[in-house]
Amino acid sequence: MITKVAQASTEQAASMAQITQSVEQISAVVQTNSATSEQSVASQTLNGQAHVMKSLLDQFTLSKDIQKGY
């Protein structure tokens, strides 16, 4: 009887170790996805800012001498 309880406890400990490992892997994937999402949002923000900056710069005109490098 005690042997069976000890064996069951060992099996449960092994199962818990596998569950812990699986949860850690899921956590790593979630963290990676979160970082990727943040980078995507930052990229979209920078893209929008670049468009605004370009539209502001398009309002300026350079003289022909400056355009030729004089």
Side-chain angles (χ1 to χ4, degrees), residues 4 10 18 20 27-28 30 32 35-36 39 47 49 56-57 62-64:
K4 289 183 179 181
T10 301
Q18 289 176 345
T20 299
S27 178
V30 167
T32 300
T36 301
Q39 290 172 348
N47 188 31
Q49 291 174 348
L56 291 172
L57 290 173
L62 299 177
S63 73
K64 293 188 190 267

Side-chain angles (χ1 to χ4, degrees), residues 39-59:
Q39 290 172 348
S40 176
V41 169
S43 175
Q44 290 173 0
T45 299
L46 287 173
N47 188 31
Q49 291 174 348
H51 283 289
V52 169
M53 183 177 283
K54 183 180 181 318
S55 68
L56 291 172
L57 290 173
D58 285 344
Q59 295 176 17

Side-chain angles (χ1 to χ4, degrees), residues 18-33:
Q18 289 176 345
I19 290 170
T20 299
Q21 184 180 12
S22 297
V23 169
E24 288 172 351
Q25 289 174 345
I26 290 169
S27 178
V29 169
V30 167
Q31 288 176 357
T32 300
N33 288 347

